[in-house]
Amino acid sequence: YDYGLIPSVDEVIRIAEEGHVRGVVSHVKALGPDNWGKSKTIVEHIDAARARGVEVYADQYPYEASSTSLSAAVMPSESSAALKEAMAGEESKKAFLALVRENIRRRGGPRSIVIASGRGAPDAAGKNLEDIAKAGGVTPEQAAVDVVLAGGASILSFNMSEQDIELLMKQSWTMASSDGGLSLPGPSRPHPRGNGAFARRLAFYV
């Protein structure tokens, strides 16, 4: 199966078309430098589907940063057991850290990943992964693994371009949306989209 941004959008379209249901691309975005500019293709595919009668929409929060757990963002596997096993052997550790390094790159690099809260980095809220790595004298990928093994963290990931945000926002089929969740224990600097999404859309973009 072909994974990625455009195949994911096409999957929503296919399900809506074959199931004769309404489809929504939730939190539509072109995440990471490798995907910047692909908003044009998203628009083309959804416009084409709607032109042939498929009821498909999208929703969007108006920020250049996304938010998730550090584990979900950069770990090849979210399983603690798999992580510990991979880090136990020299060769498996090298291969695993290479995958983590690539996932960090795909999100815009260690400077773009900022800790929001979590047991794995209780004093790092507001600090980016690059600074955490430098303070610990390790690589960003090793710092990420250390945080996950210590209890994990939620992050803000600054990985979208304003051009993509604006193009997707202007489409008649894009709805305004917000998002929120519980912060992990400890000092927290959560994503503002839980409270500020609609005000930002009006004040900044309109």
mmCIF file of all heavy atoms in Angstrom, residues 128-160:
data_model
loop_
_atom_site.group_PDB
_atom_site.id
_atom_site.type_symbol
_atom_site.label_atom_id
_atom_site.label_comp_id
_atom_site.label_asym_id
_atom_site.label_seq_id
_atom_site.Cartn_x
_atom_site.Cartn_y
_atom_site.Cartn_z
ATOM 1 N N ASN A 128 13.108 23.139 22.745
ATOM 2 C CA ASN A 128 13.081 22.276 21.564
ATOM 3 C C ASN A 128 14.067 21.124 21.712
ATOM 4 O O ASN A 128 14.948 21.131 22.581
ATOM 5 C CB ASN A 128 13.321 23.068 20.269
ATOM 6 C CG ASN A 128 14.704 23.680 20.183
ATOM 7 O OD1 ASN A 128 15.713 23.001 20.359
ATOM 8 N ND2 ASN A 128 14.772 24.974 19.906
ATOM 9 N N LEU A 129 13.905 20.136 20.842
ATOM 10 C CA LEU A 129 14.698 18.910 20.937
ATOM 11 C C LEU A 129 16.181 19.163 20.697
ATOM 12 O O LEU A 129 17.039 18.495 21.287
ATOM 13 C CB LEU A 129 14.165 17.883 19.932
ATOM 14 C CG LEU A 129 14.655 16.442 20.066
ATOM 15 C CD1 LEU A 129 14.354 15.891 21.448
ATOM 16 C CD2 LEU A 129 14.007 15.567 18.989
ATOM 17 N N GLU A 130 16.499 20.135 19.876
ATOM 18 C CA GLU A 130 17.901 20.462 19.629
ATOM 19 C C GLU A 130 18.572 20.967 20.898
ATOM 20 O O GLU A 130 19.691 20.540 21.239
ATOM 21 C CB GLU A 130 18.007 21.519 18.530
ATOM 22 C CG GLU A 130 19.436 21.903 18.180
ATOM 23 C CD GLU A 130 19.510 22.851 17.011
ATOM 24 O OE1 GLU A 130 19.420 22.377 15.873
ATOM 25 O OE2 GLU A 130 19.623 24.071 17.234
ATOM 26 N N ASP A 131 17.903 21.856 21.624
ATOM 27 C CA ASP A 131 18.467 22.403 22.855
ATOM 28 C C ASP A 131 18.585 21.327 23.938
ATOM 29 O O ASP A 131 19.557 21.293 24.696
ATOM 30 C CB ASP A 131 17.613 23.557 23.367
ATOM 31 C CG ASP A 131 17.721 24.791 22.485
ATOM 32 O OD1 ASP A 131 18.732 24.911 21.761
ATOM 33 O OD2 ASP A 131 16.792 25.620 22.499
ATOM 34 N N ILE A 132 17.592 20.440 24.009
ATOM 35 C CA ILE A 132 17.625 19.354 24.990
ATOM 36 C C ILE A 132 18.804 18.427 24.701
ATOM 37 O O ILE A 132 19.510 17.989 25.616
ATOM 38 C CB ILE A 132 16.297 18.575 24.966
ATOM 39 C CG1 ILE A 132 15.154 19.463 25.462
ATOM 40 C CG2 ILE A 132 16.385 17.304 25.818
ATOM 41 C CD1 ILE A 132 13.783 18.872 25.244
ATOM 42 N N ALA A 133 19.024 18.134 23.421
ATOM 43 C CA ALA A 133 20.131 17.262 23.028
ATOM 44 C C ALA A 133 21.476 17.893 23.378
ATOM 45 O O ALA A 133 22.375 17.232 23.912
ATOM 46 C CB ALA A 133 20.051 16.967 21.533
ATOM 47 N N LYS A 134 21.630 19.186 23.084
ATOM 48 C CA LYS A 134 22.888 19.877 23.385
ATOM 49 C C LYS A 134 23.152 19.899 24.884
ATOM 50 O O LYS A 134 24.293 19.692 25.330
ATOM 51 C CB LYS A 134 22.839 21.301 22.828
ATOM 52 C CG LYS A 134 22.974 21.379 21.320
ATOM 53 C CD LYS A 134 22.944 22.828 20.849
ATOM 54 C CE LYS A 134 23.105 22.915 19.332
ATOM 55 N NZ LYS A 134 23.028 24.322 18.854
ATOM 56 N N ALA A 135 22.108 20.140 25.664
ATOM 57 C CA ALA A 135 22.274 20.194 27.118
ATOM 58 C C ALA A 135 22.688 18.837 27.674
ATOM 59 O O ALA A 135 23.436 18.751 28.653
ATOM 60 C CB ALA A 135 20.971 20.647 27.771
ATOM 61 N N GLY A 136 22.231 17.762 27.030
ATOM 62 C CA GLY A 136 22.562 16.424 27.491
ATOM 63 C C GLY A 136 23.796 15.835 26.843
ATOM 64 O O GLY A 136 24.217 14.722 27.192
ATOM 65 N N GLY A 137 24.368 16.545 25.881
ATOM 66 C CA GLY A 137 25.560 16.061 25.198
ATOM 67 C C GLY A 137 25.313 14.843 24.331
ATOM 68 O O GLY A 137 26.204 13.993 24.174
ATOM 69 N N VAL A 138 24.096 14.747 23.757
ATOM 70 C CA VAL A 138 23.750 13.605 22.910
ATOM 71 C C VAL A 138 23.159 14.109 21.594
ATOM 72 O O VAL A 138 22.914 15.307 21.429
ATOM 73 C CB VAL A 138 22.730 12.672 23.608
ATOM 74 C CG1 VAL A 138 23.341 12.044 24.849
ATOM 75 C CG2 VAL A 138 21.446 13.423 23.957
ATOM 76 N N THR A 139 22.932 13.200 20.672
ATOM 77 C CA THR A 139 22.293 13.562 19.414
ATOM 78 C C THR A 139 20.798 13.787 19.653
ATOM 79 O O THR A 139 20.232 13.283 20.640
ATOM 80 C CB THR A 139 22.456 12.444 18.371
ATOM 81 O OG1 THR A 139 21.791 11.265 18.854
ATOM 82 C CG2 THR A 139 23.920 12.149 18.102
ATOM 83 N N PRO A 140 20.119 14.529 18.770
ATOM 84 C CA PRO A 140 18.673 14.738 18.926
ATOM 85 C C PRO A 140 17.890 13.428 18.948
ATOM 86 O O PRO A 140 16.929 13.293 19.714
ATOM 87 C CB PRO A 140 18.307 15.579 17.701
ATOM 88 C CG PRO A 140 19.557 16.341 17.397
ATOM 89 C CD PRO A 140 20.667 15.366 17.680
ATOM 90 N N GLU A 141 18.295 12.454 18.123
ATOM 91 C CA GLU A 141 17.572 11.183 18.104
ATOM 92 C C GLU A 141 17.733 10.427 19.416
ATOM 93 O O GLU A 141 16.791 9.807 19.921
ATOM 94 C CB GLU A 141 17.992 10.317 16.911
ATOM 95 C CG GLU A 141 19.461 10.009 16.790
ATOM 96 C CD GLU A 141 20.242 11.009 15.957
ATOM 97 O OE1 GLU A 141 19.799 12.184 15.844
ATOM 98 O OE2 GLU A 141 21.295 10.627 15.415
ATOM 99 N N GLN A 142 18.947 10.488 20.004
ATOM 100 C CA GLN A 142 19.148 9.840 21.299
ATOM 101 C C GLN A 142 18.365 10.568 22.388
ATOM 102 O O GLN A 142 17.795 9.936 23.284
ATOM 103 C CB GLN A 142 20.637 9.816 21.655
ATOM 104 C CG GLN A 142 20.951 9.108 22.967
ATOM 105 C CD GLN A 142 20.620 7.628 22.934
ATOM 106 O OE1 GLN A 142 21.149 6.876 22.125
ATOM 107 N NE2 GLN A 142 19.726 7.190 23.846
ATOM 108 N N ALA A 143 18.324 11.887 22.307
ATOM 109 C CA ALA A 143 17.559 12.669 23.282
ATOM 110 C C ALA A 143 16.083 12.303 23.217
ATOM 111 O O ALA A 143 15.419 12.175 24.252
ATOM 112 C CB ALA A 143 17.746 14.161 23.022
ATOM 113 N N ALA A 144 15.563 12.116 22.005
ATOM 114 C CA ALA A 144 14.158 11.739 21.844
ATOM 115 C C ALA A 144 13.882 10.384 22.479
ATOM 116 O O ALA A 144 12.882 10.205 23.185
ATOM 117 C CB ALA A 144 13.797 11.715 20.364
ATOM 118 N N VAL A 145 14.766 9.430 22.234
ATOM 119 C CA VAL A 145 14.616 8.094 22.829
ATOM 120 C C VAL A 145 14.668 8.183 24.346
ATOM 121 O O VAL A 145 13.866 7.552 25.051
ATOM 122 C CB VAL A 145 15.711 7.137 22.303
ATOM 123 C CG1 VAL A 145 15.726 5.844 23.118
ATOM 124 C CG2 VAL A 145 15.474 6.822 20.824
ATOM 125 N N ASP A 146 15.603 8.974 24.872
ATOM 126 C CA ASP A 146 15.745 9.112 26.325
ATOM 127 C C ASP A 146 14.466 9.661 26.953
ATOM 128 O O ASP A 146 14.034 9.194 28.017
ATOM 129 C CB ASP A 146 16.918 10.036 26.660
ATOM 130 C CG ASP A 146 18.270 9.427 26.296
ATOM 131 O OD1 ASP A 146 18.336 8.193 26.093
ATOM 132 O OD2 ASP A 146 19.253 10.187 26.201
ATOM 133 N N VAL A 147 13.861 10.648 26.302
ATOM 134 C CA VAL A 147 12.625 11.247 26.818
ATOM 135 C C VAL A 147 11.495 10.227 26.814
ATOM 136 O O VAL A 147 10.744 10.106 27.787
ATOM 137 C CB VAL A 147 12.231 12.496 25.999
ATOM 138 C CG1 VAL A 147 10.826 12.968 26.377
ATOM 139 C CG2 VAL A 147 13.234 13.624 26.216
ATOM 140 N N VAL A 148 11.376 9.470 25.738
ATOM 141 C CA VAL A 148 10.311 8.466 25.634
ATOM 142 C C VAL A 148 10.492 7.383 26.687
ATOM 143 O O VAL A 148 9.539 6.988 27.374
ATOM 144 C CB VAL A 148 10.267 7.851 24.218
ATOM 145 C CG1 VAL A 148 9.302 6.668 24.173
ATOM 146 C CG2 VAL A 148 9.843 8.908 23.198
ATOM 147 N N LEU A 149 11.721 6.908 26.857
ATOM 148 C CA LEU A 149 11.989 5.865 27.850
ATOM 149 C C LEU A 149 11.772 6.364 29.280
ATOM 150 O O LEU A 149 11.437 5.585 30.177
ATOM 151 C CB LEU A 149 13.416 5.341 27.698
ATOM 152 C CG LEU A 149 13.687 4.453 26.485
ATOM 153 C CD1 LEU A 149 15.168 4.106 26.404
ATOM 154 C CD2 LEU A 149 12.843 3.177 26.542
ATOM 155 N N ALA A 150 11.938 7.668 29.492
ATOM 156 C CA ALA A 150 11.769 8.236 30.825
ATOM 157 C C ALA A 150 10.308 8.526 31.167
ATOM 158 O O ALA A 150 10.013 8.983 32.261
ATOM 159 C CB ALA A 150 12.591 9.515 30.953
ATOM 160 N N GLY A 151 9.408 8.288 30.221
ATOM 161 C CA GLY A 151 7.987 8.515 30.503
ATOM 162 C C GLY A 151 7.231 9.239 29.423
ATOM 163 O O GLY A 151 6.015 9.380 29.504
ATOM 164 N N GLY A 152 7.954 9.709 28.400
ATOM 165 C CA GLY A 152 7.282 10.319 27.264
ATOM 166 C C GLY A 152 6.990 11.795 27.441
ATOM 167 O O GLY A 152 7.182 12.379 28.518
ATOM 168 N N ALA A 153 6.519 12.409 26.364
ATOM 169 C CA ALA A 153 6.190 13.835 26.377
ATOM 170 C C ALA A 153 5.243 14.143 25.235
ATOM 171 O O ALA A 153 5.246 13.468 24.207
ATOM 172 C CB ALA A 153 7.457 14.687 26.244
ATOM 173 N N SER A 154 4.424 15.149 25.434
ATOM 174 C CA SER A 154 3.640 15.682 24.327
ATOM 175 C C SER A 154 4.448 16.819 23.708
ATOM 176 O O SER A 154 5.241 17.470 24.396
ATOM 177 C CB SER A 154 2.273 16.178 24.802
ATOM 178 O OG SER A 154 2.418 17.232 25.735
ATOM 179 N N ILE A 155 4.263 17.044 22.426
ATOM 180 C CA ILE A 155 5.086 18.031 21.728
ATOM 181 C C ILE A 155 4.239 18.954 20.859
ATOM 182 O O ILE A 155 3.102 18.647 20.511
ATOM 183 C CB ILE A 155 6.133 17.355 20.821
ATOM 184 C CG1 ILE A 155 5.432 16.528 19.714
ATOM 185 C CG2 ILE A 155 7.100 16.508 21.623
ATOM 186 C CD1 ILE A 155 6.348 16.099 18.588
ATOM 187 N N LEU A 156 4.840 20.079 20.522
ATOM 188 C CA LEU A 156 4.380 20.924 19.428
ATOM 189 C C LEU A 156 5.412 20.758 18.327
ATOM 190 O O LEU A 156 6.609 20.741 18.603
ATOM 191 C CB LEU A 156 4.305 22.395 19.843
ATOM 192 C CG LEU A 156 3.447 22.735 21.068
ATOM 193 C CD1 LEU A 156 3.458 24.233 21.319
ATOM 194 C CD2 LEU A 156 2.030 22.243 20.890
ATOM 195 N N SER A 157 4.937 20.618 17.111
ATOM 196 C CA SER A 157 5.845 20.368 15.993
ATOM 197 C C SER A 157 5.590 21.401 14.908
ATOM 198 O O SER A 157 4.547 21.380 14.252
ATOM 199 C CB SER A 157 5.609 18.943 15.459
ATOM 200 O OG SER A 157 6.470 18.647 14.389
ATOM 201 N N PHE A 158 6.525 22.330 14.749
ATOM 202 C CA PHE A 158 6.351 23.427 13.790
ATOM 203 C C PHE A 158 6.794 22.951 12.407
ATOM 204 O O PHE A 158 7.976 22.994 12.065
ATOM 205 C CB PHE A 158 7.152 24.645 14.247
ATOM 206 C CG PHE A 158 6.607 25.261 15.508
ATOM 207 C CD1 PHE A 158 6.951 24.744 16.756
ATOM 208 C CD2 PHE A 158 5.727 26.326 15.449
ATOM 209 C CE1 PHE A 158 6.437 25.293 17.920
ATOM 210 C CE2 PHE A 158 5.201 26.897 16.607
ATOM 211 C CZ PHE A 158 5.557 26.368 17.841
ATOM 212 N N ASN A 159 5.824 22.504 11.609
ATOM 213 C CA ASN A 159 6.192 21.777 10.392
ATOM 214 C C ASN A 159 5.316 22.061 9.178
ATOM 215 O O ASN A 159 5.298 21.276 8.239
ATOM 216 C CB ASN A 159 6.168 20.274 10.691
ATOM 217 C CG ASN A 159 4.875 19.863 11.377
ATOM 218 O OD1 ASN A 159 3.818 20.353 11.039
ATOM 219 N ND2 ASN A 159 4.973 18.969 12.350
ATOM 220 N N MET A 160 4.579 23.156 9.195
ATOM 221 C CA MET A 160 3.726 23.468 8.047
ATOM 222 C C MET A 160 4.083 24.826 7.455
ATOM 223 O O MET A 160 4.644 25.687 8.145
ATOM 224 C CB MET A 160 2.257 23.439 8.465
ATOM 225 C CG MET A 160 1.727 22.043 8.687
ATOM 226 S SD MET A 160 0.091 22.058 9.411
ATOM 227 C CE MET A 160 0.486 21.810 11.148
#
